[in-house]
PDB file of all heavy atoms in Angstrom:
ATOM      1  N   THR A  93     -13.111 313.641 123.522  1.00  0.00           N
ATOM      2  CA  THR A  93     -13.590 314.964 123.174  1.00  0.00           C
ATOM      3  C   THR A  93     -14.950 314.919 122.504  1.00  0.00           C
ATOM      4  O   THR A  93     -15.869 315.690 122.829  1.00  0.00           O
ATOM      5  CB  THR A  93     -12.594 315.646 122.227  1.00  0.00           C
ATOM      6  OG1 THR A  93     -11.312 315.686 122.890  1.00  0.00           O
ATOM      7  CG2 THR A  93     -13.043 317.069 121.910  1.00  0.00           C
ATOM      8  N   ILE A  94     -15.139 313.964 121.578  1.00  0.00           N
ATOM      9  CA  ILE A  94     -16.437 313.826 120.885  1.00  0.00           C
ATOM     10  C   ILE A  94     -17.528 313.436 121.886  1.00  0.00           C
ATOM     11  O   ILE A  94     -18.614 314.016 121.897  1.00  0.00           O
ATOM     12  CB  ILE A  94     -16.333 312.790 119.756  1.00  0.00           C
ATOM     13  CG1 ILE A  94     -15.457 313.323 118.637  1.00  0.00           C
ATOM     14  CG2 ILE A  94     -17.711 312.396 119.221  1.00  0.00           C
ATOM     15  CD1 ILE A  94     -15.095 312.333 117.569  1.00  0.00           C
ATOM     16  N   ALA A  95     -17.207 312.511 122.824  1.00  0.00           N
ATOM     17  CA  ALA A  95     -18.204 312.112 123.794  1.00  0.00           C
ATOM     18  C   ALA A  95     -18.588 313.250 124.746  1.00  0.00           C
ATOM     19  O   ALA A  95     -19.780 313.448 125.041  1.00  0.00           O
ATOM     20  CB  ALA A  95     -17.640 310.926 124.622  1.00  0.00           C
ATOM     21  N   VAL A  96     -17.599 314.033 125.175  1.00  0.00           N
ATOM     22  CA  VAL A  96     -17.890 315.153 126.075  1.00  0.00           C
ATOM     23  C   VAL A  96     -18.710 316.206 125.337  1.00  0.00           C
ATOM     24  O   VAL A  96     -19.715 316.730 125.884  1.00  0.00           O
ATOM     25  CB  VAL A  96     -16.572 315.749 126.615  1.00  0.00           C
ATOM     26  CG1 VAL A  96     -16.833 317.080 127.304  1.00  0.00           C
ATOM     27  CG2 VAL A  96     -15.927 314.787 127.583  1.00  0.00           C
ATOM     28  N   LEU A  97     -18.377 316.524 124.125  1.00  0.00           N
ATOM     29  CA  LEU A  97     -19.127 317.545 123.356  1.00  0.00           C
ATOM     30  C   LEU A  97     -20.544 317.056 123.052  1.00  0.00           C
ATOM     31  O   LEU A  97     -21.510 317.820 123.167  1.00  0.00           O
ATOM     32  CB  LEU A  97     -18.401 317.885 122.046  1.00  0.00           C
ATOM     33  CG  LEU A  97     -17.091 318.689 122.232  1.00  0.00           C
ATOM     34  CD1 LEU A  97     -16.423 318.861 120.890  1.00  0.00           C
ATOM     35  CD2 LEU A  97     -17.341 320.039 122.883  1.00  0.00           C
ATOM     36  N   ALA A  98     -20.683 315.798 122.659  1.00  0.00           N
ATOM     37  CA  ALA A  98     -22.026 315.278 122.382  1.00  0.00           C
ATOM     38  C   ALA A  98     -22.878 315.250 123.614  1.00  0.00           C
ATOM     39  O   ALA A  98     -24.064 315.623 123.574  1.00  0.00           O
ATOM     40  CB  ALA A  98     -21.891 313.864 121.768  1.00  0.00           C
ATOM     41  N   ALA A  99     -22.299 314.821 124.737  1.00  0.00           N
ATOM     42  CA  ALA A  99     -23.081 314.765 126.000  1.00  0.00           C
ATOM     43  C   ALA A  99     -23.481 316.175 126.438  1.00  0.00           C
ATOM     44  O   ALA A  99     -24.594 316.377 126.909  1.00  0.00           O
ATOM     45  CB  ALA A  99     -22.266 314.079 127.068  1.00  0.00           C
ATOM     46  N   THR A 100     -22.600 317.129 126.229  1.00  0.00           N
ATOM     47  CA  THR A 100     -22.873 318.532 126.629  1.00  0.00           C
ATOM     48  C   THR A 100     -24.018 319.055 125.771  1.00  0.00           C
ATOM     49  O   THR A 100     -24.950 319.684 126.278  1.00  0.00           O
ATOM     50  CB  THR A 100     -21.654 319.411 126.472  1.00  0.00           C
ATOM     51  OG1 THR A 100     -20.597 318.888 127.302  1.00  0.00           O
ATOM     52  CG2 THR A 100     -21.938 320.831 126.837  1.00  0.00           C
ATOM     53  N   MET A 101     -23.951 318.834 124.473  1.00  0.00           N
ATOM     54  CA  MET A 101     -24.999 319.323 123.571  1.00  0.00           C
ATOM     55  C   MET A 101     -26.336 318.644 123.858  1.00  0.00           C
ATOM     56  O   MET A 101     -27.405 319.321 123.882  1.00  0.00           O
ATOM     57  CB  MET A 101     -24.619 319.117 122.104  1.00  0.00           C
ATOM     58  CG  MET A 101     -23.453 319.938 121.663  1.00  0.00           C
ATOM     59  SD  MET A 101     -23.657 321.713 121.989  1.00  0.00           S
ATOM     60  CE  MET A 101     -24.998 322.112 120.978  1.00  0.00           C
ATOM     61  N   LEU A 102     -26.297 317.358 124.106  1.00  0.00           N
ATOM     62  CA  LEU A 102     -27.549 316.627 124.436  1.00  0.00           C
ATOM     63  C   LEU A 102     -28.140 317.158 125.739  1.00  0.00           C
ATOM     64  O   LEU A 102     -29.375 317.366 125.855  1.00  0.00           O
ATOM     65  CB  LEU A 102     -27.267 315.126 124.585  1.00  0.00           C
ATOM     66  CG  LEU A 102     -28.465 314.272 124.898  1.00  0.00           C
ATOM     67  CD1 LEU A 102     -29.465 314.310 123.758  1.00  0.00           C
ATOM     68  CD2 LEU A 102     -28.015 312.811 125.118  1.00  0.00           C
ATOM     69  N   THR A 103     -27.310 317.436 126.733  1.00  0.00           N
ATOM     70  CA  THR A 103     -27.791 317.995 128.011  1.00  0.00           C
ATOM     71  C   THR A 103     -28.390 319.367 127.801  1.00  0.00           C
ATOM     72  O   THR A 103     -29.470 319.660 128.369  1.00  0.00           O
ATOM     73  CB  THR A 103     -26.628 318.083 129.015  1.00  0.00           C
ATOM     74  OG1 THR A 103     -26.098 316.779 129.234  1.00  0.00           O
ATOM     75  CG2 THR A 103     -27.098 318.661 130.334  1.00  0.00           C
ATOM     76  N   LEU A 104     -27.776 320.197 127.003  1.00  0.00           N
ATOM     77  CA  LEU A 104     -28.308 321.536 126.710  1.00  0.00           C
ATOM     78  C   LEU A 104     -29.667 321.443 125.997  1.00  0.00           C
ATOM     79  O   LEU A 104     -30.593 322.165 126.348  1.00  0.00           O
ATOM     80  CB  LEU A 104     -27.337 322.344 125.879  1.00  0.00           C
ATOM     81  CG  LEU A 104     -26.098 322.844 126.630  1.00  0.00           C
ATOM     82  CD1 LEU A 104     -25.096 323.470 125.650  1.00  0.00           C
ATOM     83  CD2 LEU A 104     -26.488 323.874 127.683  1.00  0.00           C
ATOM     84  N   LEU A 105     -29.761 320.543 125.009  1.00  0.00           N
ATOM     85  CA  LEU A 105     -31.027 320.405 124.286  1.00  0.00           C
ATOM     86  C   LEU A 105     -32.130 319.873 125.159  1.00  0.00           C
ATOM     87  O   LEU A 105     -33.280 320.390 125.081  1.00  0.00           O
ATOM     88  CB  LEU A 105     -30.818 319.465 123.071  1.00  0.00           C
ATOM     89  CG  LEU A 105     -29.950 320.042 121.929  1.00  0.00           C
ATOM     90  CD1 LEU A 105     -29.639 318.939 120.894  1.00  0.00           C
ATOM     91  CD2 LEU A 105     -30.627 321.195 121.291  1.00  0.00           C
ATOM     92  N   VAL A 106     -31.868 318.876 125.955  1.00  0.00           N
ATOM     93  CA  VAL A 106     -32.876 318.351 126.869  1.00  0.00           C
ATOM     94  C   VAL A 106     -33.270 319.414 127.866  1.00  0.00           C
ATOM     95  O   VAL A 106     -34.476 319.579 128.138  1.00  0.00           O
ATOM     96  CB  VAL A 106     -32.402 317.026 127.560  1.00  0.00           C
ATOM     97  CG1 VAL A 106     -33.324 316.629 128.677  1.00  0.00           C
ATOM     98  CG2 VAL A 106     -32.256 315.952 126.539  1.00  0.00           C
ATOM     99  N   SER A 107     -32.330 320.115 128.454  1.00  0.00           N
ATOM    100  CA  SER A 107     -32.638 321.155 129.411  1.00  0.00           C
ATOM    101  C   SER A 107     -33.488 322.256 128.791  1.00  0.00           C
ATOM    102  O   SER A 107     -34.444 322.730 129.415  1.00  0.00           O
ATOM    103  CB  SER A 107     -31.354 321.776 130.003  1.00  0.00           C
ATOM    104  OG  SER A 107     -30.603 320.808 130.664  1.00  0.00           O
TER     105      SER A 107
END
Side-chain angles (χ1 to χ4, degrees):
T93 303
I94 291 171
V96 167
L97 290 175
T100 301
M101 293 308 295
L102 181 64
T103 301
L104 287 172
L105 290 172
V106 169
S107 298

